Amino acid sequence: MYSIDKLLLENKAWAAEKTADDPEYFERLAHLQTPEFLWIGCSDSRVPANEITGTQPGEIFVHRNIANMVIHTDVNLLSVLEYAVVHLKVKHVIVCGHYGCGGIKASMGNHDYKQVLNMWLRNIKDVYRLYQEELDAIPDLELRADRLTELNVKEQVMHLAKTSIIQRAWFHEQRPQLHGWVYGLKDGIINPVFDMGSDTKIESLYAYDDL
Ligand code: CO
């Protein structure tokens, strides 16, 4: 384990190494941010967006929360989404869950995590309810959690499509593509499970007419 001082020492070593490799590295990054991707991932420390996709600082705009949720009253998530889509003009938005997700497992149980976590996990329970028949039919709890992880990612991608932010960008600029992925902690492989693009027909109840 790293002590807090070790983190700062490692940071100095990293910065020195980067500068030695490429003297203009920080100068260049400081002036320009043009990521093509927005990543909405789980806060889990084992799923670092840049590392598992082989991307560098400057390439992915990142938002993370417990179980990679897209909640339509979450001002933090919506601000990140709006900035990434409207101002950075990202081409892709990726919701990336992961097998073995603690948030997903917690949502399947009955433990009282007290109010704030209960409130957050409640959103995942609501996803379970939508697919209850399919999920209840999977006897192995591990496999059931894995399937809920996939279905949750799909639901969160659909939540993105229900925002006027995405609908407006689709209508005017035919971007971004939305992707639902699930990362495997055991093998490091990303499983793409669901996609949506600007040609998607939005359920009429959620479609905005003043785009
Ligand atoms: Co997780």
Side-chain angles (χ1 to χ4, degrees):
M1 269 298 142
Y2 290 94
S3 74
I4 193 80
D5 294 331
K6 180 98 190 297
L7 293 186
L8 294 172
L9 276 174
E10 286 291 344
N11 164 255
K12 282 206 180 69
W14 173 79
E17 196 183 320
K18 282 280 175 197
T19 310
D21 280 358
D22 176 359
E24 257 108 71
Y25 182 76
F26 291 108
E27 178 74 11
R28 217 173 38 243
L29 269 184
H31 288 109
L32 192 67
Q33 181 184 226
T34 52
E36 290 186 16
F37 309 96
L38 166 61
W39 176 277
I40 299 169
C42 184
S43 299
D44 193 303
S45 63
R46 297 164 296 181
V47 195
N50 283 123
E51 217 161 318
I52 66 175
T53 57
T55 47
Q56 298 299 316
E59 294 190 282
I60 303 192
F61 201 63
V62 174
H63 179 85
R64 290 167 73 175
N65 62 42
I66 293 175
N68 39 271
M69 302 300 287
V70 176
I71 295 166
H72 69 93
T73 51
D74 180 350
V75 176
N76 186 350
L77 177 280
L78 292 174
S79 302
V80 170
L81 181 67
E82 182 169 305
Y83 186 68
V85 172
V86 176
H87 298 278
L88 294 173
K89 300 196 176 293
V90 294
K91 297 190 175 110
H92 303 271
V93 180
I94 300 150
V95 177
C96 189
H98 64 101
Y99 297 116
C101 182
I104 295 286
K105 286 182 191 160
S107 78
M108 291 167 63
N110 300 102
H111 183 73
D112 176 3
Y113 288 93
K114 304 297 178 283
Q115 191 47 51
V116 177
L117 278 174
N118 286 347
M119 191 172 79
W120 193 258
L121 297 175
R122 165 62 201 285
N123 294 288
I124 313 173
K125 287 182 184 287
D126 289 343
V127 174
Y128 192 108
R129 181 170 45 83
L130 288 176
Y131 299 95
Q132 184 139 21
E133 213 174 312
E134 176 185 346
L135 290 165
D136 283 353
I138 305 170
D140 185 277
L141 284 184
E142 224 30 61
L143 294 177
R144 193 187 292 181
D146 285 353
R147 183 59 184 146
L148 176 56
T149 302
E150 293 168 355
L151 293 168
N152 183 55
V153 151
K154 179 180 171 190
E155 278 298 314
Q156 303 319 310
V157 168
M158 294 196 302
H159 286 172
L160 287 174
K162 289 171 186 165
T163 65
S164 56
I165 299 168
I166 291 296
Q167 289 182 25
R168 190 167 291 121
W170 277 358
F171 183 75
H172 292 287
E173 300 177 43
Q174 292 75 53
R175 62 157 190 93
Q177 281 280 121
L178 309 182
H179 310 272
W181 292 354
V182 181
Y183 171 77
L185 291 177
K186 289 177 184 161
D187 58 9
I189 300 296
I190 290 169
N191 177 22
V193 295
F194 188 68
D195 283 298
M196 269 178 132
S198 58
D199 53 349
T200 306
K201 182 98 179 73
I202 306 286
E203 211 181 313
S204 67
L205 186 60
Y206 294 99
Y208 293 100
D209 61 3
D210 57 346
L211 301 168

